[in-house]
Amino acid sequence: GSWWYATVTRVSALVSSHQSVSFADMAKAARDSLVPGLQFFCLASLCVAALTVAVPFYAAIGGFWGTLATSFSVWILAAFVLILQYFLPAGATARVGFKDSLRISVALFFDAPFFSLGLAAYGIGCVALSPVLAFLLPGPAAAALAGSVATGIRMRKLRWLQANGGTPPGPAPWNELLSDDIEAVGVRSIKDFVFPWRH
């Protein structure tokens, strides 16, 4: 499952950057995703192990300190899950290894934690709706595509921050940062979304 998710994320990174995808690209993505998929599996397994071992252990202590340690563990794990959702898209978008993917993921989360929460809710919604719609859409692949698009957009802000020495001179100039996307895709309204054949 992690290998499949890593492969879909790598293909989604091509789609989110407005590139066409061939069967050869999919085969290459499957080959290149074996190691990142294994890394993602290990990180997710670590999170599950901490949830099933650490949280019950601290909860069994009871009292003030037990409750405090349990609450702290739950919040740490929640933050780690939100960080982990960027791991594969960051590696696929920036073409970097394990350490850099993790570093970018942490930076993306702390730059916009509420955005990260919304992205996670969207991904869960995509997966939850799949059985209702006979697995036609939106599906896990749509969640992977949303993660790739979101990661690519947020990484532009990180590059803008780095260009300014890490200290933002003001609000992020999103119109400038998204100028290539606006030029490639144009402006779309809700009516265009419902009636895509109008364009």
mmCIF file of all heavy atoms in Angstrom, residues 14 17 26 35 37 50 62 69 73-74 76 86 95 100 104 108 111 120 131 136-137 146 149 163 170 172 177 198:
data_model
loop_
_atom_site.group_PDB
_atom_site.id
_atom_site.type_symbol
_atom_site.label_atom_id
_atom_site.label_comp_id
_atom_site.label_asym_id
_atom_site.label_seq_id
_atom_site.Cartn_x
_atom_site.Cartn_y
_atom_site.Cartn_z
ATOM 1 N N LEU A 14 3.955 14.922 -11.337
ATOM 2 C CA LEU A 14 4.076 15.299 -12.742
ATOM 3 C C LEU A 14 2.815 16.008 -13.223
ATOM 4 O O LEU A 14 2.878 17.028 -13.913
ATOM 5 C CB LEU A 14 4.330 14.054 -13.599
ATOM 6 C CG LEU A 14 5.634 13.281 -13.360
ATOM 7 C CD1 LEU A 14 5.664 12.019 -14.201
ATOM 8 C CD2 LEU A 14 6.840 14.158 -13.682
ATOM 9 N N SER A 17 2.430 19.568 -11.969
ATOM 10 C CA SER A 17 3.331 20.529 -12.617
ATOM 11 C C SER A 17 3.016 20.669 -14.107
ATOM 12 O O SER A 17 3.862 21.098 -14.885
ATOM 13 C CB SER A 17 4.786 20.122 -12.418
ATOM 14 O OG SER A 17 5.016 18.830 -12.950
ATOM 15 N N MET A 26 4.829 6.056 -15.684
ATOM 16 C CA MET A 26 4.251 5.288 -14.575
ATOM 17 C C MET A 26 5.177 4.155 -14.148
ATOM 18 O O MET A 26 5.343 3.897 -12.947
ATOM 19 C CB MET A 26 2.891 4.722 -14.981
ATOM 20 C CG MET A 26 1.833 5.769 -15.215
ATOM 21 S SD MET A 26 0.237 5.006 -15.556
ATOM 22 C CE MET A 26 -0.560 6.310 -16.480
ATOM 23 N N VAL A 35 11.875 2.681 -2.651
ATOM 24 C CA VAL A 35 12.555 3.109 -1.423
ATOM 25 C C VAL A 35 11.733 4.148 -0.655
ATOM 26 O O VAL A 35 11.522 3.991 0.554
ATOM 27 C CB VAL A 35 13.967 3.631 -1.745
ATOM 28 C CG1 VAL A 35 14.601 4.255 -0.501
ATOM 29 C CG2 VAL A 35 14.842 2.501 -2.265
ATOM 30 N N GLY A 37 8.561 4.548 -0.683
ATOM 31 C CA GLY A 37 7.402 3.844 -0.140
ATOM 32 C C GLY A 37 7.752 3.067 1.115
ATOM 33 O O GLY A 37 6.984 3.049 2.084
ATOM 34 N N ALA A 50 3.703 3.907 18.314
ATOM 35 C CA ALA A 50 3.654 4.883 19.406
ATOM 36 C C ALA A 50 2.224 5.060 19.910
ATOM 37 O O ALA A 50 1.983 5.189 21.116
ATOM 38 C CB ALA A 50 4.224 6.214 18.940
ATOM 39 N N GLY A 62 -2.461 7.249 35.106
ATOM 40 C CA GLY A 62 -3.534 7.975 35.777
ATOM 41 C C GLY A 62 -3.051 9.234 36.464
ATOM 42 O O GLY A 62 -1.859 9.566 36.449
ATOM 43 N N ALA A 69 0.883 13.504 30.281
ATOM 44 C CA ALA A 69 1.736 12.762 29.349
ATOM 45 C C ALA A 69 0.922 12.171 28.203
ATOM 46 O O ALA A 69 1.364 12.168 27.042
ATOM 47 C CB ALA A 69 2.478 11.651 30.095
ATOM 48 N N SER A 73 1.383 13.197 24.316
ATOM 49 C CA SER A 73 1.670 12.155 23.326
ATOM 50 C C SER A 73 0.698 12.224 22.157
ATOM 51 O O SER A 73 1.092 12.090 20.987
ATOM 52 C CB SER A 73 1.608 10.774 23.970
ATOM 53 O OG SER A 73 2.544 10.655 25.007
ATOM 54 N N VAL A 74 -0.581 12.419 22.463
ATOM 55 C CA VAL A 74 -1.592 12.478 21.411
ATOM 56 C C VAL A 74 -1.342 13.667 20.490
ATOM 57 O O VAL A 74 -1.418 13.547 19.257
ATOM 58 C CB VAL A 74 -3.005 12.537 22.025
ATOM 59 C CG1 VAL A 74 -4.047 12.879 20.968
ATOM 60 C CG2 VAL A 74 -3.353 11.218 22.692
ATOM 61 N N ILE A 76 1.529 15.237 19.977
ATOM 62 C CA ILE A 76 2.756 14.984 19.220
ATOM 63 C C ILE A 76 2.477 14.050 18.046
ATOM 64 O O ILE A 76 2.937 14.278 16.915
ATOM 65 C CB ILE A 76 3.848 14.380 20.133
ATOM 66 C CG1 ILE A 76 4.347 15.433 21.123
ATOM 67 C CG2 ILE A 76 5.003 13.833 19.309
ATOM 68 C CD1 ILE A 76 5.111 16.576 20.490
ATOM 69 N N TYR A 86 3.041 15.216 4.058
ATOM 70 C CA TYR A 86 3.862 15.944 3.090
ATOM 71 C C TYR A 86 5.097 15.150 2.655
ATOM 72 O O TYR A 86 5.778 15.555 1.707
ATOM 73 C CB TYR A 86 4.343 17.270 3.690
ATOM 74 C CG TYR A 86 3.267 18.289 3.929
ATOM 75 C CD1 TYR A 86 2.969 18.717 5.219
ATOM 76 C CD2 TYR A 86 2.554 18.848 2.870
ATOM 77 C CE1 TYR A 86 1.988 19.665 5.451
ATOM 78 C CE2 TYR A 86 1.570 19.793 3.095
ATOM 79 C CZ TYR A 86 1.295 20.203 4.386
ATOM 80 O OH TYR A 86 0.319 21.139 4.614
ATOM 81 N N ARG A 95 12.407 16.159 -5.682
ATOM 82 C CA ARG A 95 13.386 15.134 -6.084
ATOM 83 C C ARG A 95 14.539 15.068 -5.087
ATOM 84 O O ARG A 95 15.710 15.194 -5.442
ATOM 85 C CB ARG A 95 13.922 15.410 -7.489
ATOM 86 C CG ARG A 95 12.863 15.443 -8.564
ATOM 87 C CD ARG A 95 12.294 14.070 -8.810
ATOM 88 N NE ARG A 95 11.241 14.079 -9.831
ATOM 89 C CZ ARG A 95 10.606 13.001 -10.247
ATOM 90 N NH1 ARG A 95 10.896 11.838 -9.712
ATOM 91 N NH2 ARG A 95 9.668 13.072 -11.156
ATOM 92 N N ASP A 100 15.942 15.358 3.477
ATOM 93 C CA ASP A 100 15.403 16.606 2.932
ATOM 94 C C ASP A 100 13.885 16.564 2.835
ATOM 95 O O ASP A 100 13.214 17.572 3.072
ATOM 96 C CB ASP A 100 16.014 16.898 1.562
ATOM 97 C CG ASP A 100 17.468 17.323 1.654
ATOM 98 O OD1 ASP A 100 17.837 17.928 2.677
ATOM 99 O OD2 ASP A 100 18.236 17.057 0.711
ATOM 100 N N ILE A 104 11.606 19.275 4.733
ATOM 101 C CA ILE A 104 10.615 20.081 4.026
ATOM 102 C C ILE A 104 9.234 19.862 4.626
ATOM 103 O O ILE A 104 8.447 20.811 4.790
ATOM 104 C CB ILE A 104 10.616 19.734 2.520
ATOM 105 C CG1 ILE A 104 11.929 20.185 1.874
ATOM 106 C CG2 ILE A 104 9.434 20.385 1.812
ATOM 107 C CD1 ILE A 104 12.107 19.697 0.449
ATOM 108 N N LEU A 108 6.825 22.730 6.091
ATOM 109 C CA LEU A 108 5.496 22.987 5.535
ATOM 110 C C LEU A 108 4.427 22.950 6.618
ATOM 111 O O LEU A 108 3.488 23.759 6.599
ATOM 112 C CB LEU A 108 5.182 21.949 4.454
ATOM 113 C CG LEU A 108 5.971 22.054 3.151
ATOM 114 C CD1 LEU A 108 5.667 20.873 2.245
ATOM 115 C CD2 LEU A 108 5.676 23.353 2.436
ATOM 116 N N ASP A 111 4.747 26.069 8.874
ATOM 117 C CA ASP A 111 4.412 27.288 8.149
ATOM 118 C C ASP A 111 2.906 27.505 8.114
ATOM 119 O O ASP A 111 2.443 28.645 8.156
ATOM 120 C CB ASP A 111 4.963 27.222 6.721
ATOM 121 C CG ASP A 111 4.637 28.468 5.923
ATOM 122 O OD1 ASP A 111 5.058 29.569 6.334
ATOM 123 O OD2 ASP A 111 3.952 28.344 4.883
ATOM 124 N N ALA A 120 -5.442 17.355 5.377
ATOM 125 C CA ALA A 120 -5.673 16.015 5.909
ATOM 126 C C ALA A 120 -7.168 15.675 5.908
ATOM 127 O O ALA A 120 -7.558 14.560 5.550
ATOM 128 C CB ALA A 120 -5.102 15.908 7.318
ATOM 129 N N PRO A 131 -16.138 4.531 -1.342
ATOM 130 C CA PRO A 131 -17.102 3.412 -1.368
ATOM 131 C C PRO A 131 -18.509 3.855 -1.744
ATOM 132 O O PRO A 131 -19.236 3.122 -2.411
ATOM 133 C CB PRO A 131 -17.060 2.870 0.065
ATOM 134 C CG PRO A 131 -15.776 3.370 0.632
ATOM 135 C CD PRO A 131 -15.521 4.680 -0.021
ATOM 136 N N LEU A 136 -15.277 5.167 -7.869
ATOM 137 C CA LEU A 136 -15.011 5.873 -9.129
ATOM 138 C C LEU A 136 -14.296 7.190 -8.869
ATOM 139 O O LEU A 136 -13.318 7.525 -9.532
ATOM 140 C CB LEU A 136 -16.316 6.110 -9.892
ATOM 141 C CG LEU A 136 -17.033 4.837 -10.379
ATOM 142 C CD1 LEU A 136 -18.366 5.190 -11.010
ATOM 143 C CD2 LEU A 136 -16.153 4.104 -11.388
ATOM 144 N N LEU A 137 -14.813 7.953 -7.936
ATOM 145 C CA LEU A 137 -14.167 9.213 -7.550
ATOM 146 C C LEU A 137 -14.701 9.599 -6.183
ATOM 147 O O LEU A 137 -15.749 9.110 -5.770
ATOM 148 C CB LEU A 137 -14.431 10.317 -8.576
ATOM 149 C CG LEU A 137 -15.861 10.628 -9.027
ATOM 150 C CD1 LEU A 137 -16.478 11.767 -8.243
ATOM 151 C CD2 LEU A 137 -15.815 11.016 -10.489
ATOM 152 N N ALA A 146 -4.142 15.927 -4.606
ATOM 153 C CA ALA A 146 -4.312 17.142 -3.807
ATOM 154 C C ALA A 146 -3.073 17.403 -2.954
ATOM 155 O O ALA A 146 -2.631 18.554 -2.822
ATOM 156 C CB ALA A 146 -5.548 17.014 -2.911
ATOM 157 N N VAL A 149 -0.328 18.793 -5.288
ATOM 158 C CA VAL A 149 -0.598 20.181 -5.665
ATOM 159 C C VAL A 149 -0.343 21.116 -4.485
ATOM 160 O O VAL A 149 0.321 22.153 -4.619
ATOM 161 C CB VAL A 149 -2.054 20.333 -6.171
ATOM 162 C CG1 VAL A 149 -2.401 21.802 -6.382
ATOM 163 C CG2 VAL A 149 -2.252 19.553 -7.453
ATOM 164 N N ALA A 163 14.569 33.087 -0.128
ATOM 165 C CA ALA A 163 15.128 34.187 -0.920
ATOM 166 C C ALA A 163 15.169 35.488 -0.130
ATOM 167 O O ALA A 163 15.965 36.384 -0.440
ATOM 168 C CB ALA A 163 14.307 34.381 -2.199
ATOM 169 N N GLY A 170 6.670 40.796 4.272
ATOM 170 C CA GLY A 170 5.248 41.115 4.321
ATOM 171 C C GLY A 170 4.453 39.876 3.974
ATOM 172 O O GLY A 170 4.999 38.766 3.957
ATOM 173 N N ALA A 172 2.794 36.945 1.856
ATOM 174 C CA ALA A 172 3.309 36.250 0.677
ATOM 175 C C ALA A 172 2.615 36.754 -0.585
ATOM 176 O O ALA A 172 1.390 36.854 -0.623
ATOM 177 C CB ALA A 172 3.098 34.747 0.824
ATOM 178 N N LEU A 177 3.616 34.328 -6.944
ATOM 179 C CA LEU A 177 4.086 32.958 -6.773
ATOM 180 C C LEU A 177 3.303 31.969 -7.641
ATOM 181 O O LEU A 177 3.843 30.938 -8.054
ATOM 182 C CB LEU A 177 3.971 32.545 -5.299
ATOM 183 C CG LEU A 177 4.833 33.321 -4.299
ATOM 184 C CD1 LEU A 177 4.549 32.870 -2.876
ATOM 185 C CD2 LEU A 177 6.316 33.150 -4.619
ATOM 186 N N ARG A 198 -17.672 24.210 -21.028
ATOM 187 C CA ARG A 198 -17.832 25.610 -21.450
ATOM 188 C C ARG A 198 -16.527 26.182 -21.988
ATOM 189 O O ARG A 198 -16.513 27.159 -22.704
ATOM 190 C CB ARG A 198 -18.306 26.469 -20.259
ATOM 191 C CG ARG A 198 -19.704 26.107 -19.798
ATOM 192 C CD ARG A 198 -20.126 26.872 -18.553
ATOM 193 N NE ARG A 198 -20.327 28.282 -18.795
ATOM 194 C CZ ARG A 198 -19.539 29.254 -18.352
ATOM 195 N NH1 ARG A 198 -18.481 28.948 -17.638
ATOM 196 N NH2 ARG A 198 -19.801 30.509 -18.610
#
